[in-house]
Amino acid sequence: MDQNVSESTFRQEVENKYIVYNSLFANLPYHDMGKLGALTPMLYDLANEELNKEKNPKDIIEFFLNKYAYLNKEEDKNELLFRIIQFIERQVVLFDSVEDASFDKIIAVNHQNGTLENLYQVAQQQNKLKEVYEELKTFKVRVVFTAHPTQFYPNTVLRIISDLTEAIQDNDITQINNLLQQLGRTPFINKNKLTPLEEANSIIYYLRYVYYDAIGQLHEKLFSEYYSENKDFIPIMELGFWPGGDRDGNPYVTSSITKKVTQELRTSIMKCYYNDLKKISRRLTFRGVYEKLRELSQLIYDNSFGVKKGLTTEIILEKALEIRRILVDDHDGIFLNELDRFIRQVQTFRMHFASLDIRQDSSIHQKILNAIVKRYNLSEKSYDEMDKEEKFYVLFQSNILIQESDFEEDIIKDTIRNIKQIKQIQEENGVHAIHRYIISNSTSIFSVLEVFALFEFCGYKKEDIELDIIPLFETVEGLDNAESIMQQLYNLPLYREHLMRREKRQTIMLGFSDGTKDGGYVKANWAIFKAKEELTKVSKDNEIEVLFFDGRGGPPARGGGKTRQFYASQGPTIASNQIQLTIQGQTISSSYGSINQAKHNFEQLITAGISNRVFENKQLILSPKDRYILDELSKISYKKYKELKDHPQFIAYLEERTTVEYYGKANIGSRPSKRKKDSSGLQFKDLRAIPFVGSWSQAKQNVPGYFGFGTAIQEFKEQGRLSELQDLYEHSLYFRTLVQNSMMSMIKCNFKLTSYMKDNDKFSDFWNILNEEFKLTYDLLLEVSKQKVLMEKEEINRMSVLCREKIMLPLLVIQQFALQKINETENDEDRIVYERMLVRTLFGIINASRNSA
């Protein structure tokens, strides 16, 4: 499609409509909206002009308040800034709604690579339809929704966005006006910190009202058009769930919360089934069918308000299939497609809706083992002091049963309680309700074996442990050791026997977030790629099917970015029989927030995986020379990034000149922003990836998304080897994706916002290091890709980013103003006001950025 057509479509469907509806919003007749609607554009124009002159944001805000607002009292000035923040928050919602409303039209003007239609056409052309059909039997996409706090919209606002999107699609001005008024009066922030259960219910909202229908429609499309004839239905999509199961660094996730979340998931899917049956009952009114349909509806209704034992997936399917038989035999199969659609939904979501994963850090398991050794007198040594043979003996020769009542510390008692209740949850909701235990920061075979042993200590027989035990390798060191760890595990008879009971499958999770924080953008991405290759080989050599689970955040700095292109670029040396990834924060609402969006992006994942396995693509093959180049880039960029981390001002800059300390003060998630509460000051190792990446994003510096890349390319250029990188960009989809994702991070940077730092007595040198690397990387990525501007060939995405950057610019300037006032103010009351102001800017900026943390 011609670039001009794409740009024209975006302007007509998004930019122009936003301008029209924003003018309507800005003139609503309450709370001086007209005044805010006039002042906010003035602030943008002033900020844009003055930042180009490298003016200080604090001076810009003070000039704005004095010249345009005509306010004298400090409290009045601050009140106006708060009102502007709230106004822009709602402008972001309006832009989200307008862009979401245009989704189908925008997609229509883009190339349709990645659709099922395109996959089918290519398969026909290459005479590979049979291979595609075979892949559809076994290939799966597992999308796991996580509880990471990067989505600030409460459910009330999410519903307004949904309704507003629909009204814009229908061009219903009256309804748009009413919804904008509702938007203006609806609170955007939570007064209290979210609980894990509230986080879970927020995502369950999407399960019920988006993904249930989206996956159902996708499966119907696959089954009716692309599955080979006379084949039983096999779900290709699976859903996973982390809220209520992810304990890593979150003391508020308890066994009680885990149980409640599984109950919520079960009752939610029952409500979906019940609503489906109500619709089907309007059609299947035939004698012998209607009565049995009502009986099944009542059974499901009784389970829609709490867990009642006795109902299983098998019972629902048995009754539905009996109805189907009567419908076919006695009533000519009238409306059979509607009943079959329901049966497919039950086969897909069963009793659990989405599988709840348990995740905990390996250090907690070691702590529990230390307590067990001491409490049951298993050794004179502590568990930490033991060598490998001693640990192995304690884990598998102790023959003990542990009770939570034997311990005093809450985390030990609760871990034991949770392990014991998993069997009960599996009995109530089915085995797949909870069938995965993920160990963060896995560093040795004992990270896995400790979990295995804890289940035995809690009374499980080896053959009754119906869980996949999944190591999570995320640091540079962990990735380097992953192959050796898995080889040792595969060689252990007791663990190999466990894998035989798990269909000879081993899931391994690889985390981008901490990898990037630890090693920088290029190093982390290349280390994960190589680790996947090594793990694929060692698993194949041991006749184990390896499944990779990617812990991908929203932005490229945490493994996000171009998801389809990422999976399409994996190549034949990496196992790709399943795609498993995390979806979180703004990505849930921005990329999977409506039925059409979700179907499109699910479809992109399915076709990426199947295409990779069926079709040959020379751009997926990395030659020895390509690998040598990527190794060099990785080493040089890592050295540069490590120098930055080791800079004496690194931590101080994060604390004083970014928002990293304020994520924990925003009521946006249940999890603390640091892994340890008792740390004296900010400790890099305890800092979570979300506030780390997010704070760089808020400062519009996005360091984890590019830093070191430019230095690495520059070294090649100085050696006269730039053409090697240009050639690699042309023929390697992997390297091209690496570059393009980095560009996505860089286009969201704005060093003019903090250019006042170049003269700062304390941080000028550090800021200049950041700025110089940004400018270097910016220029060299354009040279490597032979583009004139970042994301030149992705015009719609580029235009969307630039529109959002424009909307949020006043928020960014207010945030920098507040940050400076906090550091300068000695009065505690004033400091509290500015801290509140800074925290409030986090919401609009992250929502506008969509994938910034």
Side-chain angles (χ1 to χ4, degrees), residues 243-261:
D246 182 8
R247 287 157 165 71
D248 183 10
N250 192 341
Y252 309 115
V253 175
T254 63
S255 57
S256 174
I257 291 292
T258 298
K259 185 68 184 296
K260 287 177 182 176
V261 169

Side-chain angles (χ1 to χ4, degrees), residues 266 269-270 311-313 316 349-353 428-429:
R266 173 180 161 129
I269 192 58
M270 291 296 107
L311 183 62
T312 65
T313 302
I316 296 175
F349 300 109
R350 306 182 71 80
M351 299 290 289
H352 61 271
F353 213 158
E428 292 175 352
N429 291 13

Side-chain angles (χ1 to χ4, degrees), residues 496-507:
R496 191 168 183 86
E497 289 169 7
H498 173 70
L499 290 179
M500 296 303 107
R501 294 189 290 270
R502 303 304 296 165
E503 299 181 321
K504 298 177 70 174
R505 288 180 173 177
Q506 172 68 58
T507 301

Side-chain angles (χ1 to χ4, degrees), residues 286-289 324-334:
F286 319 127
R287 190 181 303 278
V289 171
R324 188 185 194 279
R325 180 185 58 77
I326 297 171
L327 186 62
V328 171
D329 291 348
D330 298 347
H331 302 287
D332 299 322
I334 300 174

Side-chain angles (χ1 to χ4, degrees), residues 485-497:
I485 291 170
M486 295 313 303
Q487 179 65 71
Q488 292 176 65
L489 283 170
Y490 293 152
N491 286 341
L492 281 176
L494 69 90
Y495 190 71
R496 191 168 183 86
E497 289 169 7

Side-chain angles (χ1 to χ4, degrees), residues 401-581:
L401 288 176
I402 61 176
Q403 303 295 332
E404 59 262 39
S405 57
D406 289 342
F407 301 91
E408 295 183 0
E409 197 166 349
D410 287 341
I411 195 167
I412 299 175
K413 294 163 72 79
D414 195 72
T415 299
I416 296 169
R417 196 177 296 123
N418 187 57
I419 289 175
K420 289 184 175 182
Q421 76 173 0
I422 287 174
K423 191 173 184 65
Q424 179 193 351
I425 291 170
Q426 289 180 330
E427 289 171 355
E428 292 175 352
N429 291 13
V431 171
H432 283 84
I434 295 181
H435 67 104
R436 303 180 357 146
Y437 198 116
I438 300 162
I439 308 119
S440 300
N441 195 29
S442 292
T443 55
S444 74
I445 61 169
F446 290 101
S447 299
V448 171
L449 296 178
E450 285 155 6
V451 172
F452 193 83
L454 283 173
F455 273 83
E456 290 197 81
F457 291 165
C458 288
Y460 288 74
K461 295 179 181 178
K462 287 184 175 66
E463 59 270 21
D464 293 335
I465 302 175
E466 296 190 83
L467 282 101
D468 299 320
I469 303 174
I470 303 173
L472 167 51
F473 302 112
E474 46 197 331
T475 64
V476 171
E477 180 184 3
L479 291 166
D480 288 343
N481 295 333
E483 179 190 16
S484 171
I485 291 170
M486 295 313 303
Q487 179 65 71
Q488 292 176 65
L489 283 170
Y490 293 152
N491 286 341
L492 281 176
L494 69 90
Y495 190 71
R496 191 168 183 86
E497 289 169 7
H498 173 70
L499 290 179
M500 296 303 107
R501 294 189 290 270
R502 303 304 296 165
E503 299 181 321
K504 298 177 70 174
R505 288 180 173 177
Q506 172 68 58
T507 301
I508 299 173
M509 187 173 181
L510 300 164
F512 286 82
S513 298
D514 283 293
T516 306
K517 181 169 77 81
D518 187 37
Y521 176 73
V522 179
K523 173 72 172 179
N525 276 273
W526 183 231
I528 287 171
F529 186 94
K530 290 198 297 182
K532 280 187 173 183
E533 289 187 315
E534 292 163 353
L535 291 166
T536 296
K537 185 178 185 306
V538 73
S539 299
K540 186 176 181 180
D541 290 346
N542 284 276
E543 299 181 332
I544 299 296
E545 181 183 7
V546 66
L547 308 175
F548 290 120
F549 177 25
D550 294 307
R552 292 166 57 81
R558 296 184 53 237
K562 305 172 187 302
T563 305
R564 184 186 190 278
Q565 199 163 320
F566 168 79
Y567 284 108
S569 69
Q570 295 291 278
T573 55
I574 292 175
S576 58
N577 34 359
Q578 288 194 18
I579 286 178
Q580 300 186 18
L581 74 160

